[in-house]
């Protein structure tokens, strides 16, 4: 089976080549010099190909985000129109009473709801307290960096790709 020239395989081949060169105390054979040139060329061409795909995908994601914004605006407009039309029908029912058009009946339904102006002014017995806990990651980072050990907390060192 042929060894595919992916970035991963190029990296493995390069590392193997470096190991061979180090084992030979840095003395390069003609074959190793040629292999190094090919590996660098392959790495560069693969990296550029990856970059082109990355840029294309990022542009496509931007188009999707723009389309989502456009559709959200369209949704908002249609929700506003629907609310306005329903309000107009409710006004008509209030003025003229219930009515029918064909098989469709227009009328009102009564319901009740509570409006609270200021929750803080209510006696405690009429309040529900919801508590959400989350870690203070900024403080934890400072404490861990200072050398303190906190069980279940560790400082992770991440790498992310930087393309200029």
């Amino acid at each position: 089976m042929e060894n595919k020239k992916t970035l991963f395989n190029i990296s493995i081949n390069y590392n193997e080549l470096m190991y061979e060169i180090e084992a030979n105390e840095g003395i390069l054979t003609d074959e190793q010099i040629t292999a190094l040139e090919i590996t660098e060329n392959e790495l560069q061409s693969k990296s550029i190909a990856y970059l082109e795909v990355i840029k294309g995908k990022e542009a496509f994601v931007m188009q999707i985000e723009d389309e989502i914004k456009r559709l959200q605006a369209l949704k908002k407009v249609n929700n506003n129109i629907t609310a306005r039309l329903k309000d107009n029908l409710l006004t008509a029912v209030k003025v003229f009473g219930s009515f029918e058009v064909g098989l469709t009946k227009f009328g009102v339904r009564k319901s009740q709801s509570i409006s609270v102006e200021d929750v803080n002014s209510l006696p405690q017995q009429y309040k529900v307290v919801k508590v959400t806990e989350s870690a203070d990651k900024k403080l934890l980072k400072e404490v861990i960096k200072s050398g303190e050990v906190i069980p279940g907390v560790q400082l992770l060192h991440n790498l992310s790709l930087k393309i200029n």
Side-chain angles (χ1 to χ4, degrees), residues 78-134:
N78 280 285
N79 280 339
N80 289 343
I81 291 170
T82 302
R84 174 72 51 100
L85 294 173
K86 285 180 179 180
D87 190 46
N88 289 347
L89 282 172
L90 178 59
T91 300
V93 170
K94 286 178 184 176
V95 171
F96 299 106
S98 297
F99 61 94
E100 290 183 31
V101 176
L103 299 175
T104 305
K105 297 178 183 178
F106 296 90
V108 294
R109 175 183 43 204
K110 293 183 179 181
S111 66
Q112 296 177 338
S113 63
I114 297 291
S115 173
V116 178
E117 290 179 20
D118 182 18
V119 173
N120 296 324
S121 67
L122 290 174
Q124 190 62 39
Q125 68 191 41
Y126 299 115
K127 295 181 190 179
V128 174
V129 177
K130 296 180 182 179
V131 178
T132 303
E133 289 183 317
S134 62

Side-chain angles (χ1 to χ4, degrees), residues 40-113:
E40 286 181 25
N41 289 337
E42 289 173 344
L43 179 63
Q44 289 178 7
S45 65
K46 286 287 181 178
S47 297
I48 294 300
Y50 273 42
L51 182 59
E52 288 174 5
V53 171
I54 289 168
K55 293 292 184 186
K57 293 297 180 185
E58 287 174 341
F60 186 58
V61 167
M62 291 288 285
Q63 287 176 333
I64 291 170
E65 288 174 356
D66 289 344
E67 185 66 8
I68 288 170
K69 289 176 187 172
R70 186 187 72 78
L71 290 172
Q72 286 174 333
L74 188 60
K75 177 183 172 183
K76 184 177 179 181
V77 166
N78 280 285
N79 280 339
N80 289 343
I81 291 170
T82 302
R84 174 72 51 100
L85 294 173
K86 285 180 179 180
D87 190 46
N88 289 347
L89 282 172
L90 178 59
T91 300
V93 170
K94 286 178 184 176
V95 171
F96 299 106
S98 297
F99 61 94
E100 290 183 31
V101 176
L103 299 175
T104 305
K105 297 178 183 178
F106 296 90
V108 294
R109 175 183 43 204
K110 293 183 179 181
S111 66
Q112 296 177 338
S113 63

Side-chain angles (χ1 to χ4, degrees), residues 131-164:
V131 178
T132 303
E133 289 183 317
S134 62
D136 184 347
K137 291 185 177 184
K138 184 177 179 182
L139 177 60
L140 285 169
K141 185 177 181 181
E142 291 172 10
V143 170
I144 295 292
K145 277 185 155 183
S146 72
E148 190 172 330
V149 176
I150 303 171
V153 178
Q154 58 184 328
L155 181 62
L156 302 176
H157 298 277
N158 304 313
L159 294 176
S160 61
L161 181 62
K162 177 182 172 186
I163 302 173
N164 291 330

